Amino acid sequence: MSSDDDTRQPSTASGNQLWGARFEGGLAPEMIPLNNSLSVDFRLWRQDIQGSRAWARAIAGAGVLDSGEAESIIAGLNRLETRLEAEVEDTAGSGGFAARYSDEDIHSLIERLLFEEAGEVAGKLHTGRSRNDQVATDLRLWGRAAADEVDGALVALCRALHGLAARSAEAIMPGYTHLQQGQPIRVAHWALAHFWAFLRDRDRIAAAAQSASILPLGSGAIAGCPFPVDREAIRKELGFRALSENSVDAVSDRDWVAEFIFAGALVGVHLSRLAEDMVLFSSREFGFLRLSDGYSTGSSLMPQKRNPDVAELARGKSARLIGNVSGILALLKGLPTGYNRDLQEEKQGLFDTVDTLMLTLPPMAGAVGTARFREDRLEAALGAELLATDLADFLVRAGVPFRRSHEAIGEIVRRAEEADVPLTELPDAVFHAVHPAFASGTGSDFRAAFSFRGSADAREVPGGTGREAVRAQLEHGLERLEGR
């Protein structure tokens, strides 16, 4: 976005610049590509027209335009919207459309083309408005729409995870801590762990959209508008939830951009963690998960390979999303009060975050939705040591303090390792020797603890991996998903 000048008029002497009258000569040739941002901000063209229509009505209400002038400008903007829509379609995307023009930014382009559609009255549209509050408004409008788009993609991924959990409600798998087998859990419990993380991401994206929904239009370059525009009417027309409180802050506030980029980075982190599980679980060493052919690739050399590329690519994209957080914070940290041209760079990180999410989320949703778990491999992977905690719980129920029971089971596990046998194959005498509670009273039924499904089902507290607890999670998760 270019530097601002509230008195600018279209200048043929300075090409398509809208501020050239102040200067005797044009920009140095090597300055032009640095100055121009149309290739980045072209995607704000709809929002620029939308905001301009609202501004035309506002300055008409303030007496700057008569009704005929306002109608001419709005009709011209409507025609321009139709024209640009056709151009975007003809060039197979806004990138090709932007390449047709040499204007320094989208705001300059819209204003110049409006003269072609509406005539000289177009020169009145910018009265009282700065490109500082104009771009801030356009970007917030774009951010709100982008948040809805990202939320839709997150919903699709959550539905895929919920579906996988529902299909796998009875399958038992090893639960891992430190990537070491810990306790038996349901596959559904694993899938829902990722589900809840992405639901939280929806909340963060929604919060960023709320932060974006503050109207800066009417703030001018820094001091506010000198004409009595009805900012509340503008707010209602554009669908913002509140007005900016301070014109200096309004033109320079990009907190919401940082919030959106951070929320997007955390989506990337959660995608990366899901992807890492998918990579591990689909490997030959685990063999738990099979990705469908549509989300796997082969090797150009090794014909046997089946690579989980969808997961690896998603894992890689998370680094890009994290980098955008560093970029926006570094951009903002040293700026003096008011608008500064550095803020032109905030769009690239925001746009890239949304583009990267919309590139990555749909294939991950597709991969999860078509994946299947191999219950035979899950069952084969369940080691008896997963039940060590259940043995400790058995002793606790027999009246043994947990620290003593933990110590006793640790001794039994060590003896099983020394004998190179599973816990389940140790003779009763070993258990009796380690702790007398195994031999007295109810101690004779300690082998009932050797059940992977029983272990999972014993944990019926809310949020646990028991059958009913998982069923409640599935129901609550679906309610959350449908209720937003």
Side-chain angles (χ1 to χ4, degrees):
M1 185 180 65
S2 70
S3 55
D4 186 77
D5 181 347
D6 287 331
T7 62
R8 33 177 212 192
Q9 294 292 329
S11 170
T12 56
S14 302
N16 296 334
Q17 296 167 353
L18 299 181
W19 46 266
R22 165 66 176 80
F23 299 88
E24 291 186 3
L27 283 174
E30 63 271 23
M31 178 64 180
I32 293 173
L34 176 63
N35 181 68
N36 288 5
S37 62
L38 183 61
S39 63
V40 174
D41 60 31
F42 64 82
R43 66 173 79 194
L44 299 178
W45 69 269
R46 289 184 188 277
Q47 291 75 25
D48 199 78
I49 290 175
Q50 183 183 3
S52 292
R53 276 193 292 253
W55 188 248
R57 294 187 181 98
I59 57 176
V64 174
L65 302 176
D66 61 37
S67 60
E69 290 173 325
E71 289 174 6
S72 295
I73 288 175
I74 291 171
L77 288 167
N78 291 341
R79 288 192 296 273
L80 181 54
E81 184 174 33
T82 301
R83 171 181 167 182
L84 294 182
E85 180 71 59
E87 288 195 25
V88 169
E89 291 181 2
D90 288 346
T91 54
S94 297
F97 147 62
R100 291 185 172 187
Y101 298 101
S102 59
D103 302 78
E104 69 177 77
D105 60 21
I106 190 60
H107 322 293
S108 305
L109 173 63
I110 296 294
E111 185 165 344
R112 181 177 65 80
L113 295 181
L114 183 59
F115 274 86
E116 298 179 10
E117 298 293 338
E120 286 302 309
V121 71
K124 293 189 175 185
L125 176 60
H126 202 63
T127 305
R129 181 175 69 169
S130 164
R131 260 188 291 185
N132 296 357
D133 61 346
Q134 183 180 3
V135 69
T137 302
D138 292 355
L139 194 60
R140 286 172 181 267
L141 286 168
W142 187 90
R144 285 164 42 197
D148 289 341
E149 189 178 10
V150 171
D151 183 69
L154 282 168
V155 167
L157 178 55
C158 285
R159 288 193 189 283
L161 284 164
H162 190 277
L164 179 61
R167 294 192 304 272
S168 309
E170 291 304 315
I172 305 295
M173 68 179 290
Y176 292 88
T177 67
H178 310 279
L179 203 55
Q180 305 296 313
Q181 290 195 4
Q183 292 177 280
I185 63 171
R186 280 183 156 74
V187 169
H189 204 48
W190 167 86
L192 288 169
H194 291 288
F195 171 89
W196 292 113
F198 290 113
L199 271 190
R200 292 194 298 273
D201 287 327
R202 291 189 69 201
D203 292 338
R204 276 182 284 268
I205 293 292
Q210 280 289 93
S211 293
S213 193
I214 305 294
L215 177 71
L217 196 56
S219 298
I222 190 170
C225 180
F227 302 97
V229 294
D230 186 347
R231 294 191 70 209
E232 181 61 21
I234 302 172
R235 181 195 68 78
K236 290 179 179 178
E237 179 176 345
L238 295 179
F240 285 87
R241 68 178 178 86
L243 299 177
S244 58
E245 301 280 0
N246 179 288
S247 59
V248 179
D249 178 55
V251 298
S252 60
D253 170 27
R254 298 299 186 274
D255 290 359
W256 74 269
V257 177
E259 291 169 28
F260 198 128
I261 290 175
F262 169 75
L266 205 47
V267 174
V269 168
H270 292 149
L271 282 169
S272 186
R273 296 188 67 190
L274 172 60
E276 177 65 7
D277 278 359
M278 292 166 69
V279 169
L280 286 172
F281 291 170
S282 63
S283 69
R284 185 176 184 86
E285 286 73 15
F286 282 80
F288 297 170
L289 185 70
R290 184 173 178 86
L291 299 176
S292 67
D293 289 351
Y295 300 97
S296 306
T297 66
S299 165
S300 62
L301 177 65
M302 298 167 284
Q304 84 283 5
K305 291 296 293 300
R306 181 185 179 85
N307 299 326
D309 277 24
V310 63
E312 293 176 21
L313 290 167
R315 194 173 56 189
K317 291 295 184 185
S318 68
R320 184 184 190 119
L321 293 165
I322 292 167
N324 287 339
V325 177
S326 298
I328 186 64
L329 295 179
L331 176 69
L332 297 176
K333 73 172 184 62
L335 297 183
T337 305
Y339 179 80
N340 295 272
R341 189 66 184 280
D342 314 49
L343 291 176
Q344 179 170 300
E345 294 299 313
E346 98 274 57
K347 300 178 195 67
Q348 297 209 36
L350 177 63
F351 293 164
D352 183 70
T353 290
V354 173
D355 290 346
T356 301
L357 289 174
M358 294 310 299
L359 185 68
T360 310
L361 284 165
M364 282 292 282
V368 170
T370 55
R372 66 178 180 86
F373 274 88
R374 297 181 54 187
E375 293 194 34
D376 58 329
R377 293 299 298 268
L378 292 172
E379 184 176 349
L382 293 168
E385 290 73 17
L386 283 164
L387 302 170
T389 304
D390 297 272
L391 283 175
D393 293 339
F394 175 87
L395 289 180
V396 168
R397 292 186 180 97
V400 180
F402 178 74
R403 283 301 169 202
R404 294 293 301 276
S405 64
H406 186 284
E407 182 180 349
I409 303 307
E411 170 72 10
I412 290 171
V413 170
R414 184 179 62 78
R415 293 194 183 192
E417 288 178 348
E418 290 173 350
D420 196 23
V421 297
L423 281 176
T424 52
E425 294 184 16
L426 282 175
D428 288 0
V430 173
F431 291 88
H432 298 167
V434 169
H435 201 286
F438 282 118
S440 62
T442 59
S444 58
D445 43 349
F446 69 86
R447 289 193 179 275
F450 292 140
S451 167
F452 300 113
R453 191 169 301 278
S455 173
D457 284 342
R459 289 158 172 81
E460 287 290 7
V461 296
T465 194
R467 177 184 286 106
E468 292 306 310
V470 168
R471 182 191 59 77
Q473 273 193 79
L474 284 165
E475 291 180 0
H476 184 211
L478 192 58
E479 289 172 2
R480 282 284 307 275
L481 206 53
E482 300 290 350
R484 179 180 287 278

